[in-house]
Amino acid sequence: RKEVEQDPGPFNVPEGATVAFNCTYSNSASQSFFWYRQDCRKEPKLLMSVYSSGNEDGRFTAQLNRASQYISLLIRDSKLSDSATYLCAFNQAGTALIFGKGTTLSVSS
Amino acid sequence: DTGVSQDPRHKITKRGQNVTFRCDPISEHNRLYWYRQTLGQGPEFLTYFQNEAQLEKSRLLSDRFSAERPKGSFSTLEIQRTEQGDSAMYLCASSPPWGLPLVIRADTQYFGPGTRLTVL
């Protein structure tokens, strides 16, 4: 099993849609989980850390399911500006981040 | 700008040449990471430093790759005898120490804009 797996998409959705991405990980010792957003030819930018209890930031909601070893990202009321690649990442206590390949989202008007 | 900076932003070189990239982390961040990203992939970890100590380097892609952080501030990544397969985006990230005031998640890594390397 790969360390981390993401559906690469692309996900093509209209403005206003709700879209969800999942990311599975194989290392049960993983401690910290993140979602990064990456625009074309730019660096990854932190979108959200993912907490055990789940967390929300505006239109974005992140969930962690340790039993099934996956994290999810839900985007509500999609905007054109949400079009990007979304990368999941995890690590153990400040060590290297292990990234998924990313999921491409395209929001159209 | 107080973010992570990298220099140069773009580098074109011929196969067989040596290249060196620089990364300046966010002030007071004691951990510094190097990643490589190729098209269609997520960033791939190469090495990291805590202060001046290189704590993990087994993921460096070959012995042609080396990194330094001599004074615990900026870092350099050198690739010797470049090959076409080295063409990629080289990303640097930093993270703050635990216990720094106002730091909520010291395990969060902040990325610089990257150095895009093209080997002809």
Side-chain angles (χ1 to χ4, degrees):
Chain A
R1 183 179 176 184
K2 293 182 181 177
E3 285 188 286
V4 56
E5 295 196 60
Q6 277 188 267
D7 182 345
F11 284 66
N12 298 305
V13 302
E15 278 185 289
T18 295
V19 62
F21 310 135
N22 283 340
C23 172
T24 59
Y25 62 94
S26 60
N27 188 344
S28 59
S30 301
Q31 295 178 327
S32 301
F33 304 86
F34 306 91
W35 283 102
Y36 281 80
R37 171 195 168 125
Q38 187 170 31
D39 294 296
C40 187
R41 301 181 72 84
K42 300 286 189 181
E43 75 273 23
K45 289 189 184 296
L46 180 68
L47 180 65
M48 298 177 74
S49 299
V50 186
Y51 300 108
S52 296
S53 55
N55 47 301
E56 186 174 308
D57 183 3
R59 298 182 293 109
F60 299 85
T61 301
Q63 297 280 350
L64 166 63
N65 185 318
R66 285 193 183 272
S68 299
Q69 295 186 200
Y70 75 87
I71 62 173
S72 63
L73 177 68
L74 182 77
I75 305 175
R76 291 182 299 277
D77 189 23
S78 299
K79 311 291 185 189
L80 293 174
S81 57
D82 293 334
S83 297
T85 296
Y86 291 84
L87 296 158
C88 65
F90 64 90
N91 68 1
Q92 300 174 39
T95 59
L97 285 171
I98 307 297
F99 282 90
K101 290 186 176 182
T103 298
T104 300
L105 172 65
S106 178
V107 181
S108 57
S109 57
Chain B
D1 187 350
T2 57
V4 178
S5 62
Q6 292 187 245
D7 183 71
R9 296 290 302 276
H10 302 274
K11 178 71 176 179
I12 299 174
T13 191
K14 293 182 178 179
R15 189 175 52 189
Q17 298 295 304
N18 299 343
V19 294
T20 300
F21 309 141
R22 176 178 170 131
C23 171
D24 286 86
I26 294 170
S27 178
E28 297 185 328
H29 281 198
N30 65 335
R31 279 171 287 148
L32 186 151
Y33 306 80
W34 285 100
Y35 294 84
R36 183 180 84 152
Q37 187 175 25
T38 54
L39 194 64
Q41 303 294 318
E44 175 188 14
F45 169 70
L46 296 177
T47 188
Y48 93 98
F49 295 84
Q50 181 164 301
N51 300 311
E52 64 275 10
Q54 191 172 13
L55 297 187
E56 174 61 65
K57 58 181 179 180
S58 64
R59 299 287 190 105
L60 285 169
L61 299 165
S62 77
D63 57 8
R64 297 185 296 107
F65 288 71
S66 62
E68 293 184 340
R69 195 183 183 197
K71 297 183 179 179
S73 56
F74 73 91
S75 175
T76 57
L77 176 70
E78 181 182 17
I79 309 174
Q80 296 182 328
R81 306 180 303 280
T82 53
E83 302 173 355
Q84 288 183 324
D86 296 333
S87 296
M89 173 81 92
Y90 290 84
L91 293 159
C92 175
S94 69
S95 56
W98 296 95
L100 196 68
L102 302 180
V103 170
I104 298 175
R105 291 291 299 266
D107 54 356
T108 300
Q109 297 182 22
Y110 300 89
F111 283 82
T115 294
R116 186 169 296 279
L117 173 67
T118 301
V119 182
L120 302 176

